[in-house]
Amino acid sequence: QHRIDGDGRAVQHLVERRPAPHVGPAEVAGDHAYVTRLLHHAVVDARRLALGKHLRERARVAARAEGGAQRLERAVELRPDYPDAHFNLALAYLTDGNFERGWAEFEWGWKNGERGEAPAFAKPVWLGEEPLAGKTILLHHEQGYGDLIQFARYARLATERGAKVLLASLPRLAEVMKAIEGVSQVFTTGDPLPPFDLHCPVMSLPLAFGTRLDTIPAWPRYIHSDPALVRQWEARLGPKTKPRVGIVW
């Protein structure tokens, strides 16, 4: 019974897991209007689509396009339990600078796999509802290096609210994380964790602290180089006589 204007036949084929004769992967991948119309009506879950991979990638692009948030709001209105629509709406809001709504919708990433599996700690997750004074909180990585480096800055805010901050780091960033302001102890894969009261994934910290565009933590510096390594590299590179460019792949 699901129809979308002129694309009803294509949608029916997708729902029935049969390829539509007039819609191929290349067409779906290149047609933003087709993707946004699907999201607008929220007729199918991406996991049920024969062309789901292409749709989800193009949907993320469409979420950042002009009018993407409005289409996705309509999708959520029609399917309130549709994780992909919520998550793409988060991307649209964040792109527009609407942090209050964007970070809240970003939590749907636990339901569609975009943020991996939700952590299975016995202690409750902290999203800003209760005071931190006198508590020990575990902040833990959830995705890649860049995300951890970016959001570890919030450790200082947690400390300023009276918490003791433990940080579960990716192994290769452990030494860097030890220099983050506000972090009391750093742990990595396989390390036993001491007792803690609350935990929070690092990419949920902007939501927990109610971050807006005008309240992004932006200290001049929150990561510090190990003085011993600085001296080591100074000796290795020799006197500086011209600008240096470091390239990492």
Side-chain angles (χ1 to χ4, degrees):
Q1 300 299 316
H2 300 299
R3 301 189 66 81
I4 298 179
D5 300 327
D7 293 322
R9 186 159 61 98
V11 172
Q12 189 62 36
H13 278 277
L14 289 170
V15 171
E16 294 174 0
R17 301 187 184 183
R18 290 186 288 111
H22 65 293
V23 179
E27 292 175 271
V28 174
D31 188 349
H32 290 193
Y34 180 80
V35 172
T36 53
R37 284 198 300 274
L38 288 180
L39 284 172
H40 177 72
H41 291 270
V43 293
V44 284
D45 188 293
R47 289 186 300 272
R48 298 174 59 197
L49 294 177
L51 303 176
K53 180 178 179 181
H54 298 282
L55 178 66
R56 290 183 70 171
E57 288 301 312
R58 300 317 301 172
R60 294 185 70 163
V61 175
R64 295 178 170 90
E66 184 177 356
Q70 288 73 26
R71 296 186 184 96
L72 289 160
E73 286 170 346
R74 179 60 176 157
V76 168
E77 179 183 339
L78 293 170
R79 281 275 303 276
D81 62 343
Y82 188 32
D84 287 344
H86 279 281
F87 188 79
N88 284 315
L89 181 57
L91 301 182
Y93 282 150
L94 293 172
T95 299
D96 290 342
N98 187 346
F99 281 12
E100 287 117 317
R101 300 183 70 178
W103 289 118
E105 293 288 346
F106 195 73
E107 291 298 300
W108 281 83
W110 297 117
K111 295 184 181 295
N112 72 347
E114 291 287 350
R115 296 179 68 180
E117 294 185 12
F121 293 113
K123 298 297 184 178
V125 63
W126 181 75
L127 294 178
E129 296 92 347
E130 60 184 283
L132 287 178
K135 303 289 181 64
T136 297
I137 186 169
L138 174 69
L139 309 183
H140 48 91
H141 70 86
E142 58 179 274
Q143 296 187 39
Y145 296 120
D147 298 322
L148 181 56
I149 291 172
Q150 184 71 260
F151 295 101
R153 68 179 70 193
Y154 281 86
R156 174 173 164 177
L157 293 184
T159 301
E160 290 175 352
R161 291 196 183 187
K164 177 181 179 181
V165 177
L166 312 177
L167 181 64
S169 170
L170 293 161
R172 291 188 178 182
L173 284 181
E175 292 303 315
V176 175
M177 292 297 108
K178 289 177 181 178
I180 296 288
E181 295 181 28
V183 174
S184 296
Q185 292 176 272
V186 174
F187 303 88
T188 187
T189 306
D191 291 342
L193 292 171
F196 56 91
D197 304 298
L198 304 162
H199 74 92
C200 186
V202 292
M203 295 189 74
S204 292
L205 288 167
L207 171 64
F209 283 97
T211 303
R212 306 183 308 270
L213 277 175
D214 60 337
T215 63
I216 295 173
W219 304 288
R221 187 175 183 182
Y222 65 94
I223 296 178
H224 302 275
S225 302
D226 183 335
L229 288 176
V230 172
R231 291 191 295 271
Q232 177 183 322
W233 279 98
E234 285 176 343
R236 182 172 179 178
L237 296 175
K240 181 179 178 181
T241 59
K242 60 180 69 176
R244 291 169 173 163
V245 177
I247 300 175
V248 179
W249 183 259

